[in-house]
Amino acid sequence: GATDANGDFSIAVTDALVRNVAILALTQSANVPNLNYYVTQWATTAVYAYQGILVGSHDPNTDIDMGAVTSHYRAGGEPFNLYDASFDAHDCVGSMQSGVRPTGYRIRYTLDVSNDAAYWNGVVNIGGNFGYDDTILLHESGHAMCALYGDWSGSPGGTHYFEDNAQNPLLSWGEGWPTFFGSNVRDWAGYNHPNVYLNSTGDSTTGVLSFAY
């Protein structure tokens, strides 16, 4: 089954045995047409999942209210936020193509904060500091869209950082366009301040930033 826009679900299950049951929420959907992306663990291609409440010895003839389950910061929440932000990117592109969403890509996430955010060879890689930084995910998605629709940036890649005045101009363009793409997605979705780009430190304390502009 699938959750609705509010995260609620109702799934009919046919069974005849008493057994322990639980719900696994996945960062993947087979219920939205041509939505071909997912979030996996860093070291494998296993799709991220979060287990809800376990109900022991369930009678198959009795309905269950599984209750509300929240996946928290550094405890399963980040992959779902990344999935949600990428949904915006795919829907925005789809809105320009009569509902046809782009060819999919994989988002690879790890809690390890030493891993940076980058796009490479069809995979958006997001390290542990950036699980709730929607603008960073959308920037890396912009790289993916650039590659999917023609790779027009010509970016040579390599080390780069903000206020670096010695960049190859191709790299400047190749990094600037994905940032524009992310802002455009946020503007299309109607979010406040779509012109703001934010990079947090990954700390859960309010107001702790690496930089924003």
Side-chain angles (χ1 to χ4, degrees):
T3 57
D4 63 18
N6 296 315
D8 301 322
F9 63 85
S10 179
I11 301 174
V13 179
T14 301
D15 199 1
L17 298 177
V18 173
R19 65 177 86 234
N20 299 336
V21 295
I23 293 294
L24 285 180
L26 304 176
T27 51
Q28 186 178 35
S29 175
N31 290 270
V32 178
N34 58 68
L35 189 69
N36 302 309
Y37 74 96
Y38 51 97
V39 184
T40 71
Q41 299 174 21
W42 188 268
T44 74
T45 57
V47 174
Y48 260 102
Y50 190 84
Q51 180 178 313
I53 298 167
L54 177 70
V55 177
S57 301
H58 168 246
D59 179 349
N61 298 309
T62 304
D63 291 343
I64 312 172
D65 182 351
M66 299 298 287
V69 176
T70 303
S71 52
H72 291 279
Y73 166 75
R74 298 199 68 77
E78 287 86 348
F80 290 92
N81 183 69
L82 296 170
Y83 184 81
D84 185 56
S86 195
F87 197 102
D88 286 337
H90 278 68
D91 270 4
C92 179
V93 174
S95 73
M96 301 180 233
Q97 302 189 118
S98 301
V100 178
R101 296 181 177 87
T103 303
Y105 55 81
R106 178 162 70 102
I107 302 169
R108 188 170 70 141
Y109 176 74
T110 177
L111 278 171
D112 183 353
V113 297
S114 66
N115 286 287
D116 204 345
Y119 171 79
W120 182 253
N121 198 26
V123 179
V124 171
N125 302 282
I126 304 290
N129 282 344
F130 309 113
Y132 286 105
D133 287 351
D134 292 6
T135 55
I136 290 181
L137 182 279
L138 291 172
H139 170 94
E140 301 304 337
S141 295
H143 283 297
M145 299 305 173
C146 176
L148 289 171
Y149 289 98
D151 197 15
W152 55 80
S153 76
S155 173
T159 301
H160 54 277
Y161 51 91
F162 288 96
E163 300 181 353
D164 174 9
N165 62 0
Q167 288 185 13
N168 182 318
L170 288 174
L171 179 58
S172 297
W173 166 259
E175 291 302 316
W177 191 89
T179 299
F180 153 76
F181 172 80
S183 293
N184 183 68
V185 169
R186 291 177 59 79
D187 184 52
W188 170 84
Y191 296 134
N192 291 331
H193 306 296
N195 55 313
V196 172
Y197 188 93
L198 182 147
N199 181 336
S200 75
T201 64
D203 193 303
S204 61
T205 306
T206 300
V208 179
L209 301 176
S210 175
F211 67 84
Y213 71 89

